[in-house]
Amino acid sequence: MEDDIACTGFFRASAEDTVSCLDKFEMGGPVQYFFGNLLEAPFNLVYAFLHTGQWLDWSNSESMMRFIYYGASAELFFVLFTIFLVVSAIGFWRNQFMWGCVRVLEGFANKIGRFFAWAGLLMVLQQIMIIFMQRIFAVSEISIGFGSALTKDVSWWSEELKLYNAMIVCLCATYTFVQGGHVRVDLVYSAVSFRAKRTIDMIGSMLFMIPAALLTWLYGWFFLWRHLVVPNPSASDSLERLIGKARALRWNVETIGFSPNGFNAYFLFKVLLVVFTIMVILQAVAFFYRSYLERKEGEDSEGKYLDKDQLGDAQADLVAEIH
């Protein structure tokens, strides 16, 4: 059937009612689809940078719809996958380059996590303030700010505490991973050799961390935009269908709370979900690289360049190391 389809041009069809010859090749089966998209990825990357107005000019509704579509598209996946393959190939050739990637990615996770970990203190202070203002002064509203103050009902400030908790969960997860703070369900890990452990880590990062994060991204991306714009975009919509919806596109940011005067910016939780998946994917790549390098260089490289927090207490540091 594919042999009967007319094709013109290699990357882009040069005539209407035809497909590009590369698209025709990709219709031949899963193997052709995979390698055809890999071949097309560099072209798509260069084309996107040379035509940023087609997807970054949000004053144009069609441009915004292209951004929404390509944000969770196969084209974007293969562009990122190709970049990963190129960076990995360079890293396998020059291990010091791969160590540099590890240090940058882990440093990024550490900086983000250490900054947003302060949301825990902010959450506690705000809760104390709410209880103090309610019980002592019996006020119904609280204002915070200098000059132009933010005035909201007490219930708004109470519900907003959930945002601080979400920040800690989403933005400190990879930081906790770098620090070794996640709980490991150990069935065979502790009983195998050092190289076997690193092999398990490499497989786990590629077969569990990244696929789980990608599935979360595919769900969270359109979940986010369905609460920001109307008509609602759908993961099943083709680019042509979304371009058609662009005629009626307008902002419709979610401002509905669980109570009449409660917190009304729940779209921020959807933003955090998307950011969380990005950080998990980056950390999975860093973990794969570190595991490979430690496996290759041996036990002496364990924890190399690892920026771990020092608790300042020998017993506490020992407990943290055990966990």
Side-chain angles (χ1 to χ4, degrees):
M1 180 66 70
E2 287 78 10
D3 294 336
D4 300 330
I5 299 175
C7 71
T8 59
F10 187 73
F11 288 110
R12 292 287 185 271
S14 57
E16 294 184 3
D17 300 325
T18 63
V19 298
S20 71
C21 293
L22 187 57
D23 287 337
K24 181 179 179 180
F25 172 76
E26 292 170 3
M27 295 175 186
V31 176
Q32 291 94 320
Y33 176 82
F34 178 80
F35 286 102
N37 274 285
L38 277 183
L39 182 61
E40 189 179 6
F43 172 82
N44 288 334
L45 179 62
V46 173
Y47 186 89
F49 277 110
L50 294 180
H51 301 81
T52 55
Q54 293 188 8
W55 55 282
L56 281 182
D57 180 16
W58 288 9
S59 61
N60 184 322
S61 58
E62 291 188 4
S63 175
M64 181 180 291
M65 278 301 191
R66 288 192 189 94
F67 180 85
I68 295 172
Y69 172 81
Y70 285 114
S73 65
E75 290 86 349
L76 177 62
F77 169 78
F78 279 99
V79 166
L80 297 178
F81 184 60
T82 302
I83 293 174
F84 168 73
L85 291 179
V86 172
V87 172
S88 298
I90 298 173
F92 292 141
W93 177 46
R94 296 290 188 187
N95 288 168
Q96 201 56 38
F97 173 79
M98 187 176 283
W99 274 121
C101 294
V102 172
R103 296 178 70 179
V104 169
L105 293 174
E106 290 184 347
F108 175 73
N110 277 335
K111 284 182 172 56
I112 295 295
R114 286 165 178 160
F115 178 81
F116 283 98
W118 288 100
L121 175 61
L122 187 60
M123 180 166 53
V124 172
L125 295 177
Q126 185 167 310
Q127 182 64 75
I128 294 173
M129 178 194 69
I130 291 170
I131 295 174
F132 186 82
M133 298 298 287
Q134 275 188 315
R135 301 302 180 185
I136 304 300
F137 296 101
V139 298
S140 59
E141 292 183 342
I142 298 176
S143 298
I144 295 180
F146 299 95
S148 179
L150 177 63
T151 302
K152 294 290 184 180
D153 190 87
V154 172
S155 61
W156 189 94
W157 293 105
S158 297
E159 286 188 27
E160 195 233 357
L161 294 172
K162 292 184 288 186
L163 180 61
Y164 299 138
N165 185 67
M167 286 180 179
I168 296 172
V169 172
C170 293
L171 302 177
C172 298
T174 53
Y175 161 64
T176 306
F177 189 90
V178 172
Q179 298 297 320
H182 281 285
V183 176
R184 180 188 294 272
V185 180
D186 187 2
L187 300 178
V188 298
Y189 193 83
S190 61
V192 298
S193 66
F194 177 81
R195 288 170 61 86
K197 289 178 181 178
R198 295 304 169 262
T199 302
I200 292 172
D201 291 338
M202 291 170 63
I203 295 173
S205 61
M206 291 292 105
L207 295 186
F208 295 100
M209 286 182 72
I210 288 183
L214 288 176
L215 287 175
T216 306
W217 173 274
L218 293 175
Y219 172 79
W221 179 255
F222 286 100
F223 185 56
L224 166 64
W225 284 101
R226 287 175 66 86
H227 292 85
L228 293 180
V229 299
V230 290
N232 290 333
S234 172
S236 60
D237 286 341
S238 64
L239 177 60
E240 291 73 19
R241 180 171 176 78
L242 287 177
I243 294 297
K245 288 182 177 182
R247 301 189 192 97
L249 184 69
R250 62 182 178 85
W251 287 101
N252 186 39
V253 179
E254 176 191 38
T255 56
I256 300 174
F258 290 112
S259 59
N261 296 319
F263 185 67
N264 59 352
Y266 279 95
F267 71 92
L268 294 176
F269 290 87
K270 285 81 172 179
V271 175
L272 286 173
L273 178 63
V274 170
V275 175
F276 165 76
T277 59
I278 295 174
M279 297 190 66
V280 170
I281 292 172
L282 292 177
Q283 182 52 39
V285 172
F287 191 52
F288 174 79
Y289 288 165
R290 171 175 286 281
S291 300
Y292 165 78
L293 291 167
E294 290 185 356
R295 182 183 187 278
K296 180 181 179 181
E297 297 180 5
E299 295 187 33
D300 291 340
S301 66
E302 184 177 10
K304 185 177 180 180
Y305 300 126
L306 185 59
D307 180 19
K308 293 195 70 172
D309 294 337
Q310 299 298 320
L311 302 178
D313 184 293
Q315 185 174 356
D317 284 330
L318 179 61
V319 172
E321 186 66 28
I322 293 173
H323 290 284

